Amino acid sequence: MNPYLYMTKMKLLLSMNYRFDFFTKLAVQVILLFVTSFFWKAAYRGIDTVQMVNEQQMIIYSVMSIVLASVFTASVESNIRSKVRQGNVAVDYIKPVNVFWMYFAEDIGNMVTNIIQRVAPVLICASFFIVVPKPVSLAHFLLFLTSSCFSFLILWLISALVGLFYFKVIEMGPIGIIKDYLIRLLAGTFVPIWFFPSSVQTVLQFLPFIYTYQLPLSIFIGRTSLNDALWGMLIQILWVLIFFALFVRLKNHVERNILVQGG
Amino acid sequence: MEQKTTPPVIKAVNLSKEFITKKKESGIKGAVKNLFFAKNTVKKAVDGISFEVQRGEIVGFIGPNGAGKSTTIKMMCGILNPSGGEVWINGLSPKKDRQVIVKDLGVVFGQRSQLYWDLRLGESFELLRRIYEVDKAKYDATMEDLDRILNINDIINTPVRQLSLGQRMRGDLAAAMLHSPALLFLDEPTIGLDVEVKYSICKFIKEINKKYQTTVILTTHDLDDVQALCDRIIIINDGKIVSDSSLEDIIDKTSPERQLIVDLYTDDIQLEHPRAEVVKIEGQRVTLKFRKTEISASELISYISKQYAIRDLSLVETDIDDVIRQIYKQQREPVV
Ligand SMILES: Nc1ncnc2c1ncn2[C@@H]1O[C@H](COP(=O)(O)OP(=O)(O)OP(=O)(O)O)[C@@H](O)[C@H]1O
Ligand SMILES: [Mg+2]
């Protein structure tokens, strides 16, 4: 078996072992599920549709947003951060592998674990107590899946880019966490961007964030037409290419001057 | 292929590494100052070293803390790029061909582990087997060998985080040897290990060196290991090579004197010899200092026994720790 695939498998088996982690994270998600659905029920009281989206669609949007957030993990950043701090990057680089493919394989393993462990419980819980998150059509659903893959690539590359910065600065304090929440906010995970002032919306059109969460989610609920979905995915691909180019440049720079801490 | 021009396994020419660090001032005022005018300080960790290592050699890299040993090793495996000079491993530059070189290289950093913390030891081995593309039959044969010397099978099913330091080190050594590399870098492989494990690791290194002609570069602060293993010793101090020779040569050059302690039956001792020096006389005990090159111990003993009856005697060889300490002290004055 290919070493990268084996890494994915190992990560998968490994994270299956963390029971405690599993239950606490699940609990957080279920709470989030109820809180957001109550929030939208309250917000929509007496209102039929806002910005072409009705209450039902909006609640499905937030359920699926929680599902996506629980699937997407990019541990590259924290991985590199702890390795740089402890000087353990060295042991990754003494192996004849592409180190970042290895990190990517690890994250794929984590993601498969999340799909197996976390998606089903959240979906079941939502279907019983809140709403059955049904896509508008099969075509929309398939586009949603494809678009989500691109979303993951964008998020992973952003995470890897930030991770590469740790080679340079070693310590960035809380910037990492702030960045995560900022991305989530600007990506429309909590409140979709169409509720923002139109000037903000225009600016966000030109930034990558809404192409991580909002695009696949609004495809799922049918707010984005199939045609627009394809256009959106084209922009996603563009962002993937831009971030990939940046990533390769920064990675080459860092590898040329790798900073290994201590002896 | 003719053997006439086998290139050296390692060739370093004028290899240097400078670390640039920002000098930081403490306190709040300092922190603000650091933001704008952090001063760069340059630290020459490795300062123009040159050497060659041939296939099958076991070379000990020794030197005081911070001498630049680990930095040199890191440059040789391509994890750090030299800031000056160059190094070639089998004719290839680690800077350009890291992935190729590393395929036939085993590295152990004593203070770090390449094993996966949460997994069984065997799981890490399985991953490495795939990374190095070792086929199953070869892998099994190697594992059998490794088990015989390092008792790997006792710990193969234990999660790495539950291993003791010595067990983990055995695991790390096995991990570095799994693909039978032709070149082995061991950076303090015996740090914190008990005598038993240390002995088995030394035995292991010797065995693979003999069996497969593995070239080994070893850094350690344990001179017993060096004495047991290394044909050749490179002493580094302050980023420079201060000595490159065999251990005997070093002893002969820096501290060629041995001591002979003789217990006699009398305390009325009048002893003199043109090629030995009487250091002290204490009751019935005489201590003499002499050079191996000038007089042999037996010659000296028979000279004494002609004058006095000898009750007991002992020969004190130079303490290598002393010798090395002496070399560390004479910084930058090459011992040639
Ligand atoms: N990443 C780094 N940044 C700045 N300086 C460094 C870095 N790594 C090492 N140094 C400095 O380079 C010098 C050589 O370090 P090195 O780790 O090679 O020493 P060593 O010979 O391995 O010592 P020891 O026996 O303690 O392991 C030291 O003075 C150290 O402080
Ligand atoms: Mg060191």
Side-chain angles (χ1 to χ4, degrees):
Chain A
M1 197 193 282
N2 171 303
Y4 303 106
L5 268 177
Y6 192 79
M7 184 75 216
T8 301
K9 191 185 117 191
M10 253 173 49
K11 241 347 206 221
L12 182 69
L13 292 176
L14 183 63
S15 40
M16 289 286 192
N17 288 332
Y18 288 118
R19 283 281 171 75
F20 180 73
D21 211 35
F22 168 65
F23 284 113
T24 46
K25 281 193 177 147
L26 189 60
V28 169
Q29 254 134 37
V30 170
I31 291 167
L32 211 59
L33 208 58
F34 282 102
V35 170
T36 48
S37 73
F38 287 135
F39 170 78
W40 288 115
K41 276 191 182 129
Y44 266 93
R45 181 156 302 149
I47 303 169
D48 214 26
T49 52
V50 182
Q51 301 272 344
M52 308 177 308
V53 176
N54 62 27
E55 182 186 320
Q56 167 98 346
Q57 281 177 302
M58 195 54 234
I59 291 176
I60 293 181
Y61 181 101
S62 57
V63 168
M64 290 313 287
S65 164
I66 291 167
V67 170
L68 274 191
S70 68
V71 170
F72 291 159
T73 47
S75 57
V76 245
E77 182 190 324
S78 54
N79 206 346
I80 295 177
R81 178 165 164 231
S82 65
K83 281 182 175 161
V84 168
R85 273 177 158 185
Q86 296 158 11
N88 279 340
V89 202
V91 295
D92 284 339
Y93 276 89
I94 54 168
K95 292 173 190 148
V97 287
N98 185 323
V99 175
F100 279 87
W101 269 118
M102 222 42 168
Y103 296 161
F104 188 70
E106 279 183 60
D107 274 332
I108 296 288
N110 288 331
M111 200 163 68
V112 175
T113 318
N114 289 340
I115 291 174
I116 297 170
Q117 287 191 333
R118 315 246 292 264
V119 173
V122 171
L123 284 181
I124 290 167
C125 183
S127 307
F128 267 101
F129 302 107
I130 298 161
V131 68
V132 182
K134 206 157 51 60
V136 277
S137 74
L138 180 66
H140 280 89
F141 181 63
L142 292 178
L143 285 179
F144 160 78
L145 286 184
T146 327
S147 169
S148 300
C149 293
F150 290 127
S151 297
F152 173 71
L153 286 180
I154 295 175
L155 287 169
W156 193 86
L157 285 168
I158 292 177
S159 173
L161 276 166
V162 177
L164 282 168
F165 270 102
Y166 281 107
F167 282 97
K168 280 264 158 200
V169 284
I170 313 285
E171 194 42 79
M172 291 198 276
I175 288 176
I177 297 168
I178 293 173
K179 179 217 74 182
D180 284 346
Y181 282 101
L182 199 67
I183 289 181
R184 291 242 185 129
L185 187 70
L186 298 179
T189 39
F190 307 117
V191 176
I193 303 306
W194 60 75
F195 288 108
F196 289 24
S198 65
S199 54
V200 177
Q201 286 185 45
T202 319
V203 174
L204 288 177
Q205 292 285 310
F206 294 97
L207 295 176
F209 309 113
I210 55 169
Y211 301 98
T212 58
Y213 281 91
Q214 183 170 305
L215 180 72
L217 291 172
S218 57
I219 294 174
F220 191 88
I221 61 168
R223 186 182 186 265
T224 302
S225 68
L226 291 179
N227 200 29
D228 286 349
L230 289 174
W231 275 113
M233 279 158 64
L234 210 63
I235 300 178
Q236 280 190 310
I237 293 174
L238 206 67
W239 278 114
V240 169
L241 292 178
I242 291 172
F243 281 126
F244 187 69
L246 278 175
F247 166 74
V248 170
R249 284 203 56 172
L250 190 59
K251 178 176 104 82
N252 288 343
H253 171 79
V254 163
E255 286 183 354
R256 241 179 293 117
N257 318 277
I258 283 178
L259 229 157
V260 183
Q261 286 302 297
Chain B
M1 285 272 253
E2 260 355 279
Q3 257 204 320
K4 55 180 193 252
T5 49
T6 36
V9 175
I10 304 173
K11 183 183 166 86
V13 177
N14 231 337
L15 193 61
S16 312
K17 179 74 197 177
E18 287 177 353
F19 285 112
I20 297 168
T21 44
K22 293 223 166 24
K23 200 163 152 191
K24 298 223 164 136
E25 287 177 41
S26 56
I28 292 178
K29 217 170 142 189
V32 175
K33 224 170 162 186
N34 290 338
L35 268 180
F36 300 102
F37 337 81
K39 274 197 204 102
N40 283 344
T41 50
V42 177
K43 162 89 200 164
K44 277 200 170 174
V46 176
D47 192 2
I49 63 173
S50 307
F51 61 92
E52 276 184 22
V53 177
Q54 306 298 333
R55 175 145 190 246
E57 273 191 291
I58 303 185
V59 179
F61 254 50
I62 62 173
N65 291 129
K69 305 175 297 289
S70 300
T71 307
T72 308
I73 293 210
K74 282 174 190 160
M75 286 193 282
M76 291 193 290
C77 27
I79 347 178
L80 268 182
N81 287 331
S83 49
E86 226 166 321
V87 61
W88 291 274
I89 307 291
N90 291 314
L92 297 175
S93 159
K95 195 160 57 180
K96 294 186 200 101
D97 299 303
R98 180 184 64 83
Q99 286 205 31
V100 184
I101 291 172
V102 142
K103 251 192 131 66
D104 207 14
L105 180 68
V107 185
V108 174
F109 291 114
Q111 314 92 311
R112 319 202 177 294
S113 179
Q114 60 165 316
L115 307 168
Y116 286 85
W117 200 240
D118 303 300
L119 298 170
R120 290 185 315 110
L121 182 58
E123 211 93 57
S124 288
F125 289 170
E126 282 292 324
L127 177 65
L128 289 170
R129 174 168 91 75
R130 284 163 175 90
I131 287 178
Y132 291 102
E133 298 168 334
V134 184
D135 72 65
K136 187 78 179 133
K138 178 98 201 302
Y139 171 80
D140 288 341
T142 315
M143 276 322 273
E144 210 168 287
D145 258 6
L146 289 171
D147 177 52
R148 195 167 38 77
I149 313 168
L150 297 170
N151 293 324
I152 289 300
N153 285 346
D154 296 351
I155 49 175
I156 199 153
N157 285 320
T158 317
V160 174
R161 62 169 182 282
Q162 289 173 15
L163 297 177
S164 76
L165 179 62
Q167 291 169 333
R168 199 218 78 205
M169 197 64 99
R170 271 149 60 197
D172 258 309
L173 266 173
M177 288 304 300
L178 210 84
H179 53 295
S180 328
L183 177 57
L184 203 52
F185 291 147
L186 307 173
D187 193 356
E188 302 188 41
T190 54
I191 192 167
L193 301 185
D194 71 40
V195 223
E196 191 79 31
V197 181
K198 219 184 259 188
Y199 173 75
S200 62
I201 285 177
C202 283
K203 200 173 92 185
F204 169 74
I205 295 171
K206 250 190 208 152
E207 221 176 289
I208 54 151
N209 171 260
K210 204 178 253 155
K211 205 161 153 191
Y212 307 109
Q213 284 276 295
T214 309
T215 312
V216 183
I217 307 288
L218 171 81
T219 84
T220 178
H221 291 292
D222 189 323
L223 296 171
D224 294 337
D225 294 346
V226 175
Q227 199 163 23
L229 286 173
C230 305
D231 329 312
R232 177 178 160 199
I233 292 171
I234 295 181
I235 303 180
I236 300 188
N237 198 355
D238 236 354
K240 293 194 169 76
I241 292 183
V242 289
S243 155
D244 180 353
S245 58
S246 69
L247 189 58
E248 290 97 81
D249 285 353
I250 294 175
I251 293 174
D252 285 353
K253 272 176 202 145
T254 27
S255 168
E257 275 154 354
R258 311 158 90 189
Q259 283 191 345
L260 179 70
I261 300 171
V262 195
D263 287 334
L264 307 172
Y265 287 102
T266 167
D267 49 17
D268 176 26
I269 304 170
Q270 295 286 317
L271 207 57
E272 242 175 61
H273 190 281
R275 282 169 293 164
E277 182 193 337
V278 177
V279 185
K280 62 180 173 194
I281 299 175
E282 249 177 350
Q284 304 186 332
R285 171 172 290 188
V286 201
T287 308
L288 296 114
K289 210 160 72 176
F290 65 100
R291 281 166 187 261
K292 199 153 66 172
T293 44
E294 288 173 6
I295 185 168
S296 74
S298 64
E299 216 178 314
L300 191 59
I301 293 166
S302 72
Y303 171 80
I304 298 169
S305 65
K306 272 180 203 145
Q307 301 174 43
Y308 300 98
I310 295 177
R311 179 157 51 91
D312 197 4
L313 61 82
S314 61
L315 196 59
V316 184
E317 291 290 345
T318 335
D319 182 15
I320 43 167
D321 282 311
D322 282 342
V323 177
I324 299 298
R325 202 175 312 131
Q326 210 173 318
I327 295 178
Y328 288 178
K329 264 197 244 158
Q330 5 169 284
Q331 278 190 21
R332 286 162 201 243
E333 285 168 41
V335 186
V336 191

